Amino acid sequence: MQLFTFLSLVGGALAAASTTVTFRLPATHQLPNPFGLPPSTHATLTAAGLRLSAPLTTSNTFVFHNVSTGSYLVDIHCPTHAFPPLRLDVSPSSTSGTSSGTPTEGLKVQAWETYRGNDWDNKGEVLPVLEGGVIEVTKVLGQKNYFSERSTFSVFSILKNPMILLGLVSMAIFLGMPYLVNNMDPEMRAEWEERQKSNPMNSLMGGGASGQPGAANPMANFDMAAFLAGSSSKKDNNGNGNGDSRPEDNGGNGGNGGKGGKESRKKR
Amino acid sequence: MLPPQLSALLLLALSPAVGAVFQDEVGHLDYHYELLGLPQRETTFFHRPRRDDKASLLYTLTDIGVLGAVNPGNGAVVWRQLLNDTSTTQSAGGLGLLRAGEGENWIASALGKSVHAWDAVSGRNKFWLDFPSEVKDLEIMELTEENRRKDVLVLFDDDKVPVLRRLSGNDGSVVWEFRDTTRDTALQVSTNVERVFVISLRGTPAAYNLKVTVIDTLTGRRMDELVIGTKTDVHSANHVMFVGANSAAPIVAWTDAALTTLRVNVLGTKTRQEFPLAPGTVAVEIHAPRLIQSDPHFLVHSRTATGNRADVYHVDLKTNAITKAYELPLLPGPGAFSTSSSGANVYFTRITGEELTLQASTSHGILGRWPIKAGESTPLHPVHAVAEVIKKAGSTDSYAVRAAAVTDADDWVLIRNGETAWSRPEGMTGAVAAAFAEIPESEDLARTLELEAHSNPLEAYMHRVRRHIRDLQHMPAWLNGIPSRLMSSILGTEIAAKDGQPARDSFGFHKLVILATARGRLYGLDIGNHGRVLWSKRVVDIPKGQKWDVKGMHVDESRGQVTVRGAAGEHVVVKTDTGDIISKTPPGSTPPVQGAALVDSLAGQWLLPIGLNGHIDDLPAHSAPKQVVVVRGGPDEGVELKGVAFPANGQSSSSALTTWTFSLPKGQRTVSIATRPTHDVVASIGRVLGDRRVKYKYLNPNTLVLAAADDAASTLTVYLLDAVSGQILSSTTHEGVDTGKPVECAMAENWFLCTFFGQYTLRENPTQSLRGYQVVVSDLYETEEPNDRGPLGDAANFSSVDPIRSPTGVALPSVVSQAYVLAAPISALQVTQTRQGISARQVLAYLPEAHGIVGIPRILLDPRRPVGRDPTAAEIEEGLIKYSPVIEMDPKFVITHERDVLGVKKIITAPSIVESTSLVFAYGIDVFGTRVAPSMLFDILGKGFNKVALIGTVLAIMAGVVALSPMVRKKQIDMRWKAPM
């Protein structure tokens, strides 16, 4: 304490021991252009019974004059960017300004990051104090985004939906296949039809979908009821599958649906 | 301990649930008046911020201490700075100073004890210096020994000793300081190129003479001292009209108390010249150029009660003689003059209600005359103005003039060649009270319905049928309107209100706001139409430098009237939709009041004035309040609360009876009082826990929160009082509270909160300490146990005066409290109000540092958030999240989003017809309004609902069906014919 009073006496005409603290915002990768910050950006120094405010200057600094000894909470308020809270300690220097500060006034300036809602002594990273009480604030938490995104209507977002994709693919097959088949080379078409006959998947596409009058579908006359009943219709099916039943087809079911056709076959 | 970043992340993760502002709703939902305050005559000017750019900006330092730059082209604010951010009180006398150096890219300002310089383009600070003494005057020194640097001369009044400092224009460092040796009243500073003059008043009040101290510009040493005139020449500092500066021959001019003669002295000389003023002059203003190269001409503007005239004088640079050059005739009505100079030429612009005229200082010939085409507004009554004159290139005698005038309607209007380019309602700054009002339109209907209800059924039926037949006449118009309504509803455009009259809408968003300002004006804003000013009226005459202290405002919806009560006993009743004054009593006609309370009486609701010291006169029985009125008593009204009842005594008048008195302990003073809002509907009387048990809310409508600070002990004690009995229901003391910083409380439903700055060591762990702005939230429940309604049970009635005594005493609520550290200070607390109270609530608060309004969801402020552990499944179901000590001000909570809303003093909320939405209106310096939906928009379609996409989808599906159905039919027929069976 004696040293402190001595130093402040040495310090000169200043009545109360106080110093000037400057916070500077250098260009960082998070804040490439600090000159673009709005003029309402300012910093505050808060402690019990005290609040100092300093606006952002043309040289991207916040200058606090007449800061007396104490421990302060420093907040940088900016509408576009968020800055971490800082802690500033101005204390009588025990060893005349070894690390920092302005030795003539006998005050030591130290700054740390601090954490809100945490112990005040739980200090974060030390901010180096440059010559003349200048502290560089290099950490920027990020840009402030005030708006929430509205989910926009877009055709692509609908098309990205897997259900829609499935539907589109099946639709393409449904519509495009007949043309494709029609445009085929006759030999290849015959070959393809042969293959179709043995392809069980074909049944799923519907009996007459393939567009050929004679295409017998192995599953088309599969009788579920009969199958479940364990009747001998399997045999019939096989027979039909082999393409033997063509004449009957022609005769049997003029205006009837498929079901009726099956029915008539079964009776036979 | 949880890393803060993580807790911030947690909060960010939460934010989608509470919703933020969508970009496309900006300007649709909300409206904002970016205001500055009333520009002052001496601190408003056009200035070119860039030396080689012709464009100029309009700079002003207003009566409420806002420094701003306005684009004269469109009236938009370029930048602004709030210089006195402690309060908006207009300090008496010195209201700030603002000067710009010719061709400089910075401007210098001073307010109170600080001097600042600002970059003229960006609004960034150049330097900000605080001095121990009051600044009296500020001047730019145009020529310094250093090349191209201009310095600032600042005159201080340091304990009655004039002190002049010359500050470097670069960094504000003191070049030299001059301290006078005698105790004189520092008045102003002036300079011509060679010397600096300090003008001060020597002598005693009412018998001063002028003293001019001549100072060397280089060293700041006294060169000479001149005493001008005789003693008793100057009666008070107000009579010194003008001190010119930076001109070739700066003058000082003063008048006698009766305004009969004007005395002028050219600074640096000893002689004074006298000029008679026209009889009947009530005010004198002097306008002179502030450029060193301009002709030393000046204009004396004298106002009489009915008109205004002016005389132009020339100063001879060689002999320092002043001669009258010409005079401008007396014109009736208010008028304003302005000086502008370009090079040596000096122009005087005269603005009256009818026309704008331009004259050169050298001759009385009129260079330009433009009749003023007042827009839709009332005739222009300019009070003072600044003008910019541009000589059109090519022609010799063609000029363009734009003048920014402050009118007596407290508007700031720019007139470009006679046409109103823009008008800023600057009078809305310094708002002190506001209230929502319904648009009084369906009153006739309400009255008819009431009539029908009271007549016999048959008659009522006939009347009703007739009314409906009469209403048919509106049908064609209604049918006509259908297409446009449909289109606007699809395209999202807004239909202009019919014939400009506001009309109610089906959602209840369309209301009026009545705003009272400190300058004695009332404004009616149509908030359904982006806050358009419907009307504005001066209702009380407030002397300059004083504020209208509005104590209460009450809107009578059934009559469409609003009553405003002021502190000096005045009251005024106006119509909400037109502003027509219905009745009015001037200040002082009734005793001054401490406050005004809205009370219920037999005659209906009315604003009861409460006299000083809580005294209430005897009232007629029909207007005696039914409730207990809580008043402040005691010597300084800060330490005592009294409950006053008006018991019915069967007589024609009833007198006040003090039923209880609550005195604060010694050393404590009241800092904040909060009550539940008048519209505070509670949807559910209990809170359902995760396990389906219920905690019953303590919902006593007669509760109030009183926060009392003890400055010596740095403590804040929060009392919860029963307003009927005066019983303390709960009290808490917070230690380590900075009582000098604002403390505010708010209350709603069964909870209240208080915010303050705290700096203390933790009680559980003395090694740890904490500091920061905090908020303490308390919930009130009937008992501590769920499914227990306490001693009252399900009783329908309850008496505070004769409470049920449980075995030990009066049944008190169970209080659950929790404290949170805030990332930024908050003020102007308000809770959102919705129609049924079903929606969640948000705490709205102004962020004085960030210049925004934040809506903090109540879920974050819940005191039942589990501390130090993750919430259990039942707690998650209840909606509780893990306690985190910090409430970050997530930008998504900010309902003002990117807007810079300055100086909000109070926020008011009102319910709308739709349950989801609450109307918000904030006032202070700026005026801002919006709608918030704390539980999202669940009952109306928002702007995000894409009607075009909906209709488009339906049409696309229809087209698809139409196109595909023939194909499908063909396929089906083909299939039948070609079927393999």
Side-chain angles (χ1 to χ4, degrees), chain A residues 146-163:
Chain A
Y146 293 94
F147 297 111
S148 50
E149 284 292 310
R150 204 189 275 293
S151 54
T152 49
F153 174 78
S154 148
V155 179
F156 287 103
S157 68
I158 291 180
L159 289 183
K160 270 188 276 181
N161 188 332
M163 285 310 286

Side-chain angles (χ1 to χ4, degrees), chain B residues 226-286:
Chain B
L226 308 163
V227 176
I228 299 158
T230 54
K231 268 212 170 358
T232 75
D233 223 16
V234 184
H235 280 266
S236 83
N238 293 340
H239 292 148
V240 178
M241 290 293 148
F242 179 77
V243 179
N246 277 329
S247 78
I251 55 158
V252 55
W254 66 102
T255 61
D256 53 352
L259 290 174
T260 53
T261 38
L262 178 76
R263 300 183 174 104
V264 185
N265 162 256
V266 178
L267 285 174
T269 64
K270 282 202 129 173
T271 53
R272 59 162 196 188
Q273 282 180 267
E274 292 197 6
F275 301 97
L277 288 167
T281 303
V282 291
V284 176
E285 282 170 17
I286 294 180

